[in-house]
């Protein structure tokens, strides 16, 4: 495991920096870093292993005992692998389904959060509790009735069951998050906007959305991942392989029903491409992630 | 003033309308409909035939696959939830320390959570391969015993749980947020009093994060009871019935892939068994929570 150069280089200055702190430690600094390194290795080695398989020839994958590095670097796996499952098609499908889900999920949750936090209307509390309560409702209850419902209105084998729910406040957690953020904004801002003659739509779009950027960015990231990573729903609703998103396509690569040995090197090379969008977003938006999820961890209820 | 309030109400209902419709369609309707279906024989093509509690009777008495499914689900929950909470908390406490590189550890620990389930689970399927997989290779080089992992009826469920635990960063991040919310004065006071690490942990940390712990127990158990992706992709329920959890059984009855007739009523009955178990777990956890959770704000 000659990996983790970033970690090692980051760890080095700590040796000199840590004695400055007077914090008592259960274990010494060295064992501290052994643990840290172990954690990093457990998380990163499987991914590096994936990349090396993606670079091995199709037969070298089955060498016994397996070699850690490919002796023949087969870059063509990154071309041939994606070809084998019509990757560009599935990628486009995934982008359309995910893109629309993100827009719908974030927009309707923000709208509901705005109404719940900043407008007075009869039943406000009741709706809040209904939404929060529905977070506990297990998804499995909807599985069969919704499948039947979609089938009866001709939505089976279309993307609609994967997209339309997002436009109907699909994720109650998002509504809850949005409301929490809206509660933290001073009410004098709306009043000032109202005096200037702005309606609610105007206030929502030009005042509130810019002020709540961390909230909806967090939601957008979470919604992206949820949709990009979803496997069960597309598996249930999409029959035609031409309509599949990447999740179903990737699983079909190594399906137990295929009855033949999967092409692991093709699979792993393609898998890396499938992982890339969420990976890029994660590293680009880490800051928001920790902030946004931090709000989930706090217990303040108001 | 009153005109203003009226426009508020109108605007509010316009803003919240999509979510309200969503609530009726995705919460209200499925609840009622799935309960009705659970009491019928229904193949999805012809009309449902009312059979009362016949589905449930069949589940508990004649179905050879149901008790194994319950057993597998229980085994998974009992193995996964405690391990995930302990590892998640330990990881969070480790990452809550200040040392150079802690952000790297935190980021890497959270990384598997972001990656698509299908991608990581299939990767692990290969890692757990007895002959050419990474895990056995490493164990072998270290002189440790190897295993058949997913292919062994005894090890298949622990292997599934192992794969699930790779995503423990999700638990960690919530605990980390909770730990960071603990007022530092408490720790400083304990230090002045010369408290030991263990007593700081049990008398300050644990009580202060107990509400989050409660939430985590409920959410993790609820999620674990509905585990589908890992057993579906890793083993498809095998070998034997060893990893055929309830969700997989529901899926197979409700959405058959091998040309069998769907038994939607029967699958709905299974859904309701699972639903009742989930409600019971939530109710029990909440009921007994007052014994071990700490709260400093009185409810209003």
């Amino acid at each position: 495991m000659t990996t983790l150069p970033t970690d090692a280089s980051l760890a080095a200055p700590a040796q000199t920096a840590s004695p400055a702190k007077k914090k008592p430690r259960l274990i010494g600094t060295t064992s501290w870093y052994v643990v840290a390194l172990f954690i990093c290795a457990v998380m990163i080695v499987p991914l590096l292993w994936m990349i090396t398989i993606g670079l091995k020839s199709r037969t070298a994958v089955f060498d016994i005992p397996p070699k850690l590095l490919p002796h023949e670097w087969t870059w063509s796996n990154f071309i041939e692998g994606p070809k084998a499952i019509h990757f560009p098609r599935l990628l486009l499908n995934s982008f359309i389904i995910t893109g629309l889900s993100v827009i719908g999920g974030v927009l309707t949750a923000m709208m509901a959060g705005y109404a719940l936090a900043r407008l007075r209307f009869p039943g406000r509390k009741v709706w809040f509790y209904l939404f929060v309560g529905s977070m506990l409702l297990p998804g499995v209850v909807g599985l069969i009735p919704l499948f039947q419902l979609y089938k009866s209105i001709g939505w089976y084998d279309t993307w609609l069951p994967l997209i339309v729910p997002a436009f109907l406040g699909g994720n109650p957690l998002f509504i809850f998050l949005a409301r929490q953020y809206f509660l933290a904004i001073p009410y004098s801002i709306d009043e000032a906007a109202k005096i200037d003659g702005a309606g609610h739509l105007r206030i929502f779009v030009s005042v509130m959305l810019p002020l709540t950027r961390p909230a909806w960015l967090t939601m957008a990231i979470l919604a992206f991942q949820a949709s990009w990573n979803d496997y069960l729903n597309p598996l249930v609703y999409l029959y035609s392989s031409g309509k599949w998103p990447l999740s179903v396509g990737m699983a079909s690569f190594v399906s137990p029903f295929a009855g033949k040995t999967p092409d692991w090197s093709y699979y792993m090379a393609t898998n890396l491409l499938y992982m890339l969008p969420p990976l890029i977003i994660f590293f680009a938006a880490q800051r928001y992630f920790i902030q946004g999820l931090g709000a989930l961890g706090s217990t303040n209820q108001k | 003033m009153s005109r203003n309030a009226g426009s508020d109400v109108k605007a509010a209902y316009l803003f919240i309308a999509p979510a309200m419709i969503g609530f009726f369609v995705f919460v209200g309707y499925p609840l009622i409909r799935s309960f009705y279906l659970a009491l019928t024989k229904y193949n999805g093509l012809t009309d449902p035939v009312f059979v009362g509690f016949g589905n449930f009777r069949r589940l508990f008495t004649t179905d050879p696959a149901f008790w194994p499914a319950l057993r597998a689900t229980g085994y998974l929950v009992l193995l996964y939830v405690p391990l995930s909470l302990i590892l998640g908390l330990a990881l969070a406490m480790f990452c809550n320390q200040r040392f150079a590189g802690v952000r790297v550890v935190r980021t890497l620990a959270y990384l598997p959570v972001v990656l698509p389930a299908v991608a990581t689970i299939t990767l692990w399927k290969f890692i757990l391969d007895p002959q050419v997989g990474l895990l056995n290779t490493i164990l072998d080089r270290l002189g440790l015993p190897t295993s058949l992992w997913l292919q062994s009826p005894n090890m298949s469920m622990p292997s599934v749980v192992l794969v699930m635990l790779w995503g423990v960063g999700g638990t960690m991040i919530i605990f980390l947020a909770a730990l960071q919310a603990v007022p530092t004065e408490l720790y400083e006071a304990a230090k002045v009093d010369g408290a030991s690490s263990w007593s700081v942990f049990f008398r300050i940390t644990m009580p202060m994060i107990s509400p989050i712990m409660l939430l985590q127990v409920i959410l993790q158990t609820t999620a674990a009871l509905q585990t589908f992706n890992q057993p579906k992709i890793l083993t498809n329920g095998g070998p034997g019935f060893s990893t055929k959890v309830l969700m997989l059984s529901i899926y197979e009855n409700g959405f058959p892939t091998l040309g069998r007739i769907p038994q939607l009523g029967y699958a709905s009955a299974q859904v309701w068994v699972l639903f009742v178990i989930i409600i019971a777990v939530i109710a029990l956890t909440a009921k007994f929570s007052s014994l071990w959770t700490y709260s400093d704000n009185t409810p209003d």
Side-chain angles (χ1 to χ4, degrees):
Chain A
M1 263 48 32
T2 52
T3 58
L4 307 170
T6 44
D7 218 7
S9 58
L10 275 166
Q15 245 69 345
T16 53
S18 60
K21 280 184 299 214
K22 275 179 273 170
K23 205 166 177 189
R25 289 254 167 85
L26 261 163
I27 43 176
T29 314
T30 317
S31 27
W32 201 261
Y33 279 104
V34 170
V35 177
L37 221 67
F38 176 76
I39 296 169
C40 293
V42 168
M43 297 304 166
I44 204 100
V45 166
L47 296 172
L48 294 173
W49 176 240
M50 178 183 89
I51 297 171
T52 65
I53 296 168
L55 289 167
K56 283 178 184 170
S57 72
R58 289 167 73 187
T59 47
V61 172
F62 297 104
D63 281 352
I64 300 176
K67 293 177 186 60
L68 290 181
L69 287 176
H71 55 106
E72 166 192 0
W73 297 65
T74 321
W75 294 97
S76 62
N77 289 340
F78 283 90
I79 309 288
E80 298 302 322
K83 245 190 221 163
I85 56 158
H86 308 288
F87 188 83
R89 184 67 220 256
L90 302 187
L91 182 74
L92 182 67
N93 294 351
S94 270
F95 270 124
I96 294 171
I97 295 168
T98 301
L100 290 171
S101 304
V102 169
I103 294 169
V106 173
L107 185 70
T108 51
M110 288 299 284
M111 284 164 58
Y114 177 74
L116 287 172
R118 308 193 75 86
L119 300 174
R120 308 220 151 262
F121 63 99
R124 186 168 82 132
K125 270 228 154 104
V126 176
W127 278 104
F128 173 66
Y129 286 118
L130 284 178
F131 289 141
V132 171
S134 67
M135 277 198 270
L136 287 176
L137 187 84
V140 60
V141 174
L143 202 59
I144 290 163
L146 290 175
F147 178 78
Q148 284 300 309
L149 176 71
Y150 294 138
K151 214 173 161 187
S152 69
I153 54 176
W155 286 11
Y156 179 66
D157 206 23
T158 74
W159 289 337
L160 293 170
L162 306 175
I163 295 167
V164 173
F167 281 88
L168 295 173
N171 193 336
L173 175 72
F174 288 0
I175 299 178
F176 177 73
L177 255 182
R179 177 181 173 272
Q180 296 293 90
Y181 268 86
F182 277 122
L183 282 177
I185 298 170
Y187 285 85
S188 52
I189 293 179
D190 322 33
E191 274 150 29
K194 266 183 201 162
I195 290 165
D196 288 349
H200 285 294
L201 190 65
R202 185 71 199 278
I203 296 175
F204 179 71
V205 175
S206 357
V207 181
M208 290 301 154
L209 288 186
L211 283 175
T212 50
R213 213 169 74 117
W216 53 258
L217 270 176
T218 306
M219 285 184 230
I221 298 162
L222 291 174
F224 178 91
Q225 290 178 341
S227 176
W228 191 266
N229 301 357
D230 186 17
Y231 174 57
L232 179 59
N233 285 307
L235 182 69
V236 166
Y237 292 121
L238 298 174
Y239 172 77
S240 323
S241 57
K243 291 173 186 167
W244 283 351
L246 275 168
S247 59
V248 183
M250 290 306 294
S252 77
F253 228 126
V254 287
S255 159
F257 296 113
K260 60 181 174 82
T261 328
D263 286 320
W264 285 108
S265 49
Y266 280 6
Y267 175 82
M268 296 298 175
T270 318
N271 211 19
L272 186 69
L273 301 177
Y274 171 43
M275 283 180 176
L276 228 44
L279 258 182
I280 293 169
I281 289 178
F282 172 61
F283 281 111
Q286 257 191 83
R287 209 156 45 88
Y288 288 114
F289 239 85
I290 308 298
Q291 265 179 24
L293 294 167
L296 289 183
S298 67
T299 43
N300 61 323
Q301 299 272 349
K302 202 65 235 191
Chain B
M1 183 68 200
S2 63
R3 199 179 157 272
N4 210 349
S7 87
D8 256 18
V9 174
K10 217 175 97 186
Y13 279 110
L14 281 174
F15 272 100
I16 210 171
M20 280 178 179
I21 297 169
F23 180 82
F24 287 120
V25 178
F26 303 118
V27 179
Y29 167 76
L31 258 180
I32 298 164
R33 179 74 180 167
S34 78
F35 186 65
Y36 167 69
L37 286 180
L39 304 175
T40 64
K41 199 175 154 79
Y42 183 42
N43 59 15
L45 300 167
T46 53
D47 286 338
V49 179
F50 191 78
V51 292
F53 286 93
N55 287 329
F56 293 94
R57 206 173 305 127
R58 190 177 135 204
L59 271 178
F60 286 105
T61 54
T62 55
D63 188 337
F66 181 66
W67 288 108
L70 271 189
R71 216 188 125 248
T73 311
Y75 185 21
L76 185 145
V77 169
L78 288 178
L79 204 57
Y80 172 73
V81 176
L83 280 174
S84 149
L85 293 175
I86 294 167
L87 277 176
L89 182 58
L91 203 55
M93 290 183 68
F94 185 80
C95 288
N96 196 34
Q97 307 296 319
R98 303 211 302 167
F99 60 94
V102 65
R103 286 179 59 113
V104 178
V105 181
R106 223 183 271 175
T107 306
L108 287 182
Y110 192 69
L111 185 63
V113 184
V114 220
L115 299 174
V118 169
T120 58
I121 296 167
T122 329
L123 170 61
W124 273 94
K125 187 177 175 153
F126 190 76
I127 290 175
L128 292 169
D129 186 284
Q131 269 91 46
V132 296
L134 181 67
L135 190 56
N136 268 1
T137 309
I138 292 176
L139 291 175
D140 197 44
R141 293 217 180 147
L142 294 175
L144 294 167
T146 57
S147 164
L148 286 174
W149 304 114
L150 296 164
Q151 297 172 22
S152 141
N154 291 327
M155 280 307 288
S156 54
M157 188 57 92
S159 307
V160 167
V161 169
L162 176 77
V163 174
M164 291 169 74
L165 283 174
W166 196 50
V168 76
T171 318
M172 173 203 74
I173 207 92
I174 306 280
F175 277 133
L176 195 58
L179 288 174
Q180 285 174 349
V182 178
T184 44
E185 305 95 71
L186 292 178
Y187 289 120
E188 279 155 17
K191 209 162 112 187
V192 172
D193 291 347
S196 73
S197 302
W198 284 114
S199 81
V200 167
F201 177 74
F202 284 110
R203 284 157 196 254
I204 298 176
T205 310
M206 279 307 277
M208 290 306 286
I209 64 165
S210 57
I212 294 296
M213 183 60 104
L214 170 71
L215 188 71
Q216 288 278 75
V217 171
I218 292 176
L219 293 179
Q220 300 264 7
T221 312
T222 314
L225 283 165
Q226 296 179 79
T227 305
F228 174 79
N229 289 343
Q230 287 84 357
K232 169 75 182 157
I233 297 169
L234 288 171
T235 59
N236 206 28
F241 284 114
S242 63
T243 57
K244 188 152 284 177
V245 291
L246 215 39
M247 273 299 287
L248 208 50
S249 174
I250 290 167
Y251 174 79
E252 284 174 2
N253 282 324
F255 313 99
T257 39
L258 298 169
R260 286 182 320 200
I261 297 161
Q263 307 182 65
L264 289 162
Y266 193 56
S268 296
Q270 283 182 297
V271 166
W272 268 80
V273 172
L274 184 54
F275 185 41
V276 168
I277 294 172
I278 290 169
I279 299 282
V281 167
I282 294 174
L284 282 175
T285 319
K287 188 172 161 56
F288 290 111
S289 69
S290 59
L291 296 178
W292 52 272
T293 57
Y294 166 83
S295 173
D296 65 348
N297 49 349
T298 45
D300 41 37

